[in-house]
Amino acid sequence: MALALAVTATGSARAYDVNDKLTIGGLLAGAFQCQQVSGLADAQNLCRGALAFQPELFYNPTDQDQFFVKFGFAVGNGLDQDSPFALEPWSADLEDGVKNINGRDRSYLLEAWYAHTFKLAADNTLQLTGGIIDPGFYVNENAYANSEYTQFMNEAFVNSRNAFLPAYDGGGVLVWKFRDWTFSGIGMNVGENDDGNNYNYYAAEADYRLTTALGEGNYRVMYSGTSRAFLDPQGEQLEKRAGWVLSFDQAFGPVVGVFLRMGWQSDDALIDLQSEYSGGFNFKGTAWGRAADNVGIAFAYLEGPNWSPAVQGAIVEPPDPQVVDGTVEAPAVADQVLARTNVFEAYYRFAFNDYLALSADVQYMKDKHREGDDVDGWVFGLRAVAEF
């Protein structure tokens, strides 16, 4: 059983204020993960690393206006291309993900937007944003399971796997905050999906913040959908994608936090997972004299689509269907339809100071297919992140 090493980096400051209007920030993150797999004859036990650098710039000409630009650079893809599992062990923006984003022939520029906030009252604001956006910044958030750089690494716990959040493309956002309520609406046009089709994306979320003697909690309901641009399981016609997500987080005193996510999506289009149920705990280091440290523990159960291998001519994931000029070629065999997958993850994040932290992470995944070989195994890793 191999031990993991870390790719580390240091930063000089967190969000440097050039002046009262311009701020520069970002992060430098490195991870090294090793997988030990059983169940597949051709599965490999190996280790891979990756490094991501994401500088960002905020410009606030007034108290109500903001310009934001974020870049993403990366070296390596980690285990993503070598993992036999349905879920990515590190859901970060790695080398392939920052090139030719959404088929737009745009690389490295992740976000570039302008936002204006209308202050209607002390506890009533309306914000409009337009540009190249990331929906994950506005919807499907969670206090304890939302960041692949400072919290869980597996994609099941970064955002809901069924939320379908196509990042880094043109769109607009409307956010209305009224007292303890936040309502968010998103509209985007995305360059292309895995089938090579351009599509429209939209999402809406209602978020209620509950503050009690125990601590703060957030309770969210989200709906997202697309235009008709995704191949059906037979590869014969285009379908829409749509789904619901519930995302809750609640503090129970100064040390313990709990989160829960549930998500469901339609299976008219070719999908690999239809529903997700995940939850976990966060423990702050104040309990053992390390106030900046924390421990995260989580479990997720995800189910595959309802259609079965008996679907005539079904094409399934993995691997992805090959689409050439809009025609599906060499579909995968039907016994690769995923029935369900289970994920467990635990990490300890050790903060050296306000800027640099090292996380030790362990994951267990088990994928069961309706027919054919199942796969299970462990992923061990170290992650270092410098925020500046």
Side-chain angles (χ1 to χ4, degrees), residues 345-378:
E345 182 174 1
Y347 71 90
Y348 184 100
R349 181 175 181 269
F350 182 93
F352 291 97
N353 48 45
D354 290 340
Y355 319 115
L356 179 64
L358 177 67
S359 300
D361 183 90
V362 59
Q363 304 174 35
Y364 174 78
M365 288 180 277
K366 184 175 183 178
D367 295 347
K368 183 175 179 58
H369 298 90
R370 297 189 185 277
E371 295 181 14
D373 294 334
D374 300 331
V375 57
D376 69 286
W378 295 85

Side-chain angles (χ1 to χ4, degrees), residues 22 48 63 67 126 130 132 171 218 220 240 270 281 300 308 310 322 327 349 367:
L22 181 63
R48 291 287 186 270
D63 291 341
F67 292 90
L126 187 68
I132 301 174
N218 294 278
R220 311 170 186 85
K240 299 179 180 180
L270 176 66
F281 299 89
S308 70
Q322 300 300 308
T327 302
R349 181 175 181 269
D367 295 347

Side-chain angles (χ1 to χ4, degrees), residues 1 35 37 55 67 109 113 115 136 143 151 175 187 250 310 361 365 382:
M1 188 178 298
Q35 67 180 21
V37 184
F67 292 90
L109 176 61
W113 47 258
Q151 297 170 332
V175 178
Q250 178 65 57
D361 183 90
M365 288 180 277
L382 288 179

Side-chain angles (χ1 to χ4, degrees), residues 8 34 48 65 212 246 280 353 384:
T8 61
C34 296
R48 291 287 186 270
D65 297 278
T212 68
L246 303 177
N353 48 45

